[in-house]
Amino acid sequence: MAQTRRELLLDALHCRPTPRTPWVPYVGCHGGKLLHLPADVYLRDPEYIATGVATAAERYRADGLPVVFDLQVEAEALGCELVWSSENPPAVNSHPLAHGLDLSDLPEITPDSGRLPVVIEAIRRARARVGDEVALFGLVTGPFTLALHLLGSDIFLEMVLNEERIHALLAYCADIAGRVGEWYREAGCDVVAAVDPMTSQISPAHFAQFIAPVAAPLWQRWAAVGATTALFVCGDAWRNVPGMCATKPDALFVDEQIDLVAMGEVARAHGVAFGGNIPLTTVLLLGNTDDARRAARQCIELGGATGYVLAPGCDMPYDTKPENVAAVAEVVHGDFTGEIAAKEAAAVTIELPDYTKPGEVLVEVVTLDSLSCAPCQYMVEAVRAVEAQFGGQVRWVEHKLKEDDTIPLMMALGVKSIPTIIIDGAVTFSSIIPEATKLRESIEARLAAKA
Amino acid sequence: MADFNSMQEAVIGGNLPEATRLTQEALDEGTAPSAIVNDGLIPGMLVVGEKFKNNEFYVPEVLIAARAMKGAMALVKPFLKEGDMPALATVAIGTVQGDLHDIGKNLVAMMLEGAGFKVMDLGVDVSPEKFIEAVSDGASVVALSALLTTTMPNIGRTIEALKEAGLKDGVKVIIGGAPVTQAYCDEIGADGYSPDAGSCVDMLKALIA
C-alpha cells in the first residue's frame, strides 16, 4: 500500500529515508485568512480551526500541519490577560507572578481551562477531517516561554539572582506543558512540539542549567504516550542548538537565522531530525512565487535527503500570500506546471542543442540536483553507467533545475516531471529510473536511426 | 585614586554590590562624578554591548549589568551638575502602535542609556501622535521597534506622521525588531537600522556624528 503523507513525514522525523522531502506549512492564524475570518474569531472556534486545517492540507498539499499556533493558550488558562488582534495571535498583557502571586496561587489547569477545550476539540475535528493522510502537530508553549508569560521579563534577572525560584518555575511550566501535550496527543495529534522561542535569548550555560533538565524528561513524557516529539525555536539560537539536540527531542525546528547545513551536521550527530527555515517575511509574506520556489529549493538542497523537513521559519503571518505557500508545495511535489506557466508568460526561450550530429547521441538528464536529490542521483548514475559502454558515442549532461536555462529547456522539450532522461531531444524516461538494458536499447535505437 | 577598571568589571559582571561600593568609595575620595560615569560606568556598559553583539552575552547578562550600572548611577546622579554630563542626544523610544512586545525595546533603551544617551521610554503600543509629542518635547532621535510582521508597517506610518508634522527632517529615525531588515529601513526612509541592541549604539553614534 502506498505510504501516506503522514507516514512520510513521521519517517523523516525519525531520521528514516524518505522518497521526497516532507513539508509542514505552519498555518496558524493564517488559517483565518484562508477562511476570510479575523484571527480573533478563528482562534476561538474549533470548527473554524478544523476547517482551516483541512483547507490548508488540501491547498498547500501539506504532509503535516499544526492545529493551533498560539503560544498564549496555557498562559491564558493560568490567568494571564490577553489582548486580541485581528491579524495576529493574541498577546499576553499581564504577568501574574510579577504582581505578587506565587505558583500556588495560580489556578489548577484542566482540559476545561481557558481555551484548551477549543484546541482539544479542534484537534479531534481536524483529525476527522484529514483522516490518516496528514500528520497533526499539537503545539505546546515551551517551559521557558510560558515562564516568561507568567513572570514577565524579571525572569532574566531572577535567573542570576534567584536561581531556585526559576528552577521551581520551570519545573512547574514543564509539568503544565507535559499535561497539555498528553491531552493533545490523546485528542489525535501525531506530533507534540514545545514551542520555546525565548530559549534563543539565553546563553548555552543558562540553557544547560535551567532548560535542559526539564526539556529531556518532557520529550520522554510525550514519547511515553506515543507522540513524536519536537522543539521549535526561533531567533538566533545557534549557540544553543547543540544543547537542544542533546536533550533528544525527535526533531528540532529552527528559523532562517540558523544555517541549515551547520544545523544538519549537529542534528545528525545527535540522531535528531530537523526542520525549517523558509524566510517568513522576505519570502512568504512579501516575496513572490519565484522567491518562494527558489527558497524552497534552496532549503531542500541544504537540508539534505534524510531527517529533514521543509517548513517556514515560524508561524506564518496572517497575510502570507497563499500563492507563495502553494508554490512551495509545487516544489515539494515536483510539480512544475505553475512555474512553466510563469516562464511561458515571460516568453523565455533558449537555443536547443544540435540533436542531429551523426555518430553521437546526446543524453540530457533533468534533475533537481543529483547532489541532493536521491532519485536524481540514481537517474544520473544510470546514465553514467551506460555511457561508458558506448565508447564516446554517447555524450551526457545534467540540467539542474536551479540553472537558468533548465525550465525553458523543459518547456521546449515537453518535460513535465523530474528527474527525466532526454535522448537527442526526445523525452524518454520520466520519474522512473530505467533499467540499464532499457536505457541501452533506447540509445542503440537512436544511434541506428542516425546511421 | 578611583579604581575605574574594577568599576568597569563590576558593571560588566553585573555585580551590583561591588559597583555601588566602588562608586561610593570614589565619591568619598573626591573623584569627579563625571569621571566616575565617563571613565568607569559607561565604558563598562559599552563592553556589555559589544559582548551582546558578539553573542558572548545574552539577555540575562545584559539586564544584570544594566542593573549594576543603574545602581551605581543612582549614587552619582545627585552630585552631577548641569553640563557635567552632556547627553549624546535625546532618544524617544517605543514599540509601535498595536504591538505589545517590550523586551527588545527595553534592551535597546538600556544600551543607549548606558552609552550616555538620554532616553525617553514611551513604552509599548505607542501611537504616532505620542512620538510627535516626544519630538516636540526635545527628542532628536526617534527609535521605533516592532516584533510582528503585522505591526511592522506602523513603523512606516509613524515616519509618515513625522513627515506630515514637518518634524522628520529635524530628527533621526532608527528602527529595529525581528521582522525588520535594512531593506525595509531603506524602503520607508528611516535613517538607521540595527539587527541587535549591541550594534544599535555604534549605529546611532555614527548617525549623529
Side-chain angles (χ1 to χ4, degrees), chain A residues 36 185 201 211 366 446:
Chain A
H36 308 289
R185 168 68 186 153
Q201 304 301 314
I211 312 298
V366 182
R446 178 63 190 159

Side-chain angles (χ1 to χ4, degrees), chain B residues 11 19 31 35 47 58 97 112 115 137 142 147 150 152 188-189 196:
Chain B
V11 169
T31 310
V47 173
Y58 292 78
Q97 197 157 44
L112 293 176
D137 290 345
V142 172
L147 181 84
T150 47
M152 185 172 78
I188 61 169
D196 60 74

